[in-house]
Amino acid sequence: MLLLDKNKRRFSARKILLWLLSGSLILFLGYLLITQRSGVDNNNAAIFCDAETVKDQKFVTSEGLLLGGGEKQSEDFAFSGQYSCRLPKADGMQFGFSYKLYNVEPEGVYRLSVWRRKGKGTGGSFLVISGPKSTGFYLNSSGGVKEESKGWELLEMQAQVPGDYEGDYLNFYIYSEGKAPVYFDDMKIKRLDSEIAFPDFSPRKMELEIKDQAYRKLVRKRDEAYEIGLLRTNDDSWVKGLLREGKEEFPVSLRLKGDWLDHLQGDKWSFRFKVKDPFAWNRLKAFSMHTPEARFFALEWLLHQLWEREDVLTTRYDFVDLRFNGKALGIYAYEEHFDKQLLEYRSRREGPIIRMTEEALWEARIRQVQGTGLSNIDLPAIAEMVNSDIEPFKGKRTLNSPNLKAQFDIAQNLLYEYQQGSKAASEIFDLTRTARYYAITDVMGAHHGVFWHNQRFYYNPVLSRLEPIGYDGFSNRPWNYKLFSIAKTRIEDGNVGELGAIRKLFEDEEFIREYMKHLYKYSSPEYMGAFLDESWNGMKGRLDYLRLEFPKLRITKAEILNRSKKIQEKLLPYNNHSVEASWSPHPKLGQQLQLSNLHELPLEVVGFGRNAKRLRDSLEQSLALPAYYLGDPRAYRFVKAPLDSRYVFYKPFGLDTIYSTTIRPWGPKDGQLLKADHFNPKLLKCSLPLEKEGQRLRLRKGEYTLDQDWLIPEGYELYIDAGTSIDIVGGAKVLSRSPVRLLGNSEEPVLISSSDDSAQGFTVLQAGGPSSLDYCIFKDLNTLNKDGWTLTGAVTFYESDVVIRNCVIRDNHCEDALNIIRSEFEADALLIQNTPFDGFDADFCKGTIVNSNFIDIGNDGTDFSGSRIQVKHCNYVRCGDKGLSVGEESNVFADQIRIDGATIGAAAKDLSHLFIESISLKDCNQGFAAYQKKAEYGHSKMVVESYQAKNVRYLHTIAPRCILELKGHPIVGK
């Protein structure tokens, strides 16, 4: 019973029941009214409709919410339960599930999903998220299929409400164009937290602010672009601004960016930024931001991941959310510009980045657009690649630096030779990385960057060769399965001016061999599948994020895999069909075999036989058969072969799979005789009495004078016996592209010296295998300096692993006594003595140094950049600058170190970590230093577990935000 205190009266059970029922009814009706205006109380809860219940032609959810479309309930098919929503075949649009959600949160992320029965005509049906007409907010999607089950497919889209959204509600609904019956079931609406929406990607949120005067200047520049049809910029196009991320602020200069007007649509303009000193954003000093649509959304990001995976130089590329003077502009792609930070981040020595100028090209296009409204039609000769100038990025800095200026002079000449097609590719480019660049370009269909005016090159001062820089791969969805880089039809059908010298590049057999080897590797299902597996989580997170603004975007794993499979199909020739062979009598040479290639890619003949499955007679040197292009006259090659041969054996360039074709028993077709064109191996050049056994070269014990360059091509192994002495004079050098083994011992070391101090170094480049130096002395050497090609080390190993034991490098006359770059090494009992600058400089290496001494060093005893090194039981005596120098994101462990006489004992800088187990310092101006030298890097950290210090003026100097942990006590710079 219920007792009311005021009247102390008893209610009957019947009255109490009536009172409760009436109250519940009022509450339920109120709930319906509220939920129909506000959706659900908790926006993070899902609204789910399974189409099972209909009332007054409305679908009813289990929570009692009403959705439109109930009159289309159908029991023909169902994904779950007994019913679905059927949109019939009819004239005009047909609408199904619909719901109006109030209490919408600006910048909230909402997901709409529904199951659709697969069948013909279903492609004409759509999901929609929209606001009132006054807001202009409308997004639809017919894709986004995530799963398949029982003949049904799940459609899904996400949308982010603009931050300045002023609508009262959002509409969620589905519709079809009425072309065929379509069935839908289990519609779900859910508000997502950002970390749920993008579990594998966290977009940065940026704010850009500029003053009114600067904004008006950008508007005038944009208006000018619309008047002439293209954007043209100069030094006067820049304005000042402030870029903000969270609480951090970055003063910048910026201008509009992009050539065509797609970079200036509406309010979503593209920008180029330069961050003012001493700041750097995201370790970048110069970068651009543009609409993701300009580079086909996340596919450009995936392309950069593949280039990075294969050590092809490429810019950093990702996505941010941008506000401009308080207005939300949505999603932008940011991309690194061409500055030294690009090289440092990719573990490259600094060198010029160059391009072919395109001003004349764009002036010609402006004239065309203003005259006829068309572009790229009969461009004048002045706009062609062969007439473009060559210039460096960061021109003032390059020209004001003697080293960079000398390197640019060489780089310019190399690129000029490429323009003119007058030098072999191997003499211009780092062939391996250039081949990787073009192979990845073809596999991904990223051909926009191949056009000559989009190409950028890095001059590698160690190899004195150019490397392409991968960027700007897409302007739209990739072309279908074209091997654009080498297909003659793509090059000649109206594109020869755009592509320029690429045809010459792909006529170079040495380059083609590397290119096809890599193209086959990257297009294989195993490789591409593994790459997509490891990168797809990041790709998916970015796709989900991009669909907030571009809901129709659809890029799938299957699409990319299918492209690579199609390319693999094109690569391989057809057994017994791709080569045509017949006997042809020759008046002087006798019976010859006439061969022609019917495959669209080049092939090489390797031998002959009597059986289709057994190669009997191998050619000492393979015979190249050029690619065949439909419509061209047939090209023929002639070769001597055993007269009883019945089959010719051949293979694709760069691959090992061998095919055969039958030699026709009848005469040949008429053909043109072309001069035999065999591969020309790089010749071994040496005036010393080498013994050659196969690919092994040996220099026996003796005393020799070397007054000419000693050049060792790839594919060999060089052995120098104990007790050998080589005096290098007259400016000669030793340069090997093969592993070297110097086999000295304690009683008879190998001596490499220069009595006239002119030797241009002992250099090993990309040897392809490990080298070893045992009991060697390198004395009185200088460094390689040939026609502007300059290295820094008396002894240099580049991309060549090496083990060094019991060696001495002393009395040399160059920047580094020993320079190892991008290699793995071991150094044990190494002595470097009396050198004017650095003793041992390791760049981007992994290695160990033990039991070694660095004495009378003009600058740093050891200098590590971008490396992972262990240093144990080493002594540094009389170093002019630092004993142990660690920089550019290195990680170094040191133990049992003695430094006697140095300006700074041990230094860590620029995102480096130096851990010292034990160290002894004596006669140093500073003991420990931690600091940041370059804006694009971060603070450094040094940990010292145990130390002794005697006559050290300042024990430590710690820059702001850097850390020294000294015997367990942290010291943070202020």
Side-chain angles (χ1 to χ4, degrees), residues 165-235:
Y165 185 74
E166 296 181 352
D168 296 330
Y169 58 84
L170 283 178
N171 286 314
F172 297 82
Y173 61 94
I174 59 173
Y175 77 91
S176 77
E177 296 174 341
K179 296 178 181 179
V182 190
Y183 294 86
F184 293 94
D185 203 354
D186 290 0
M187 176 169 138
K188 182 186 291 186
I189 302 167
K190 183 174 177 62
R191 180 168 187 268
L192 305 173
D193 294 328
S194 59
E195 62 269 18
I196 297 174
F198 322 113
D200 298 292
F201 176 58
S202 298
R204 308 174 86 117
K205 293 187 179 294
M206 311 298 300
E207 297 181 47
L208 172 63
E209 293 181 1
I210 65 174
K211 294 183 178 179
D212 291 344
Q213 183 178 356
Y215 179 77
R216 289 193 294 271
K217 183 175 180 178
L218 294 183
V219 170
R220 288 194 299 271
K221 199 67 184 175
R222 178 179 180 269
D223 292 344
E224 174 191 299
Y226 270 88
E227 287 178 10
I228 65 176
L230 296 167
L231 175 65
R232 305 305 294 135
T233 58
N234 52 39
D235 291 341

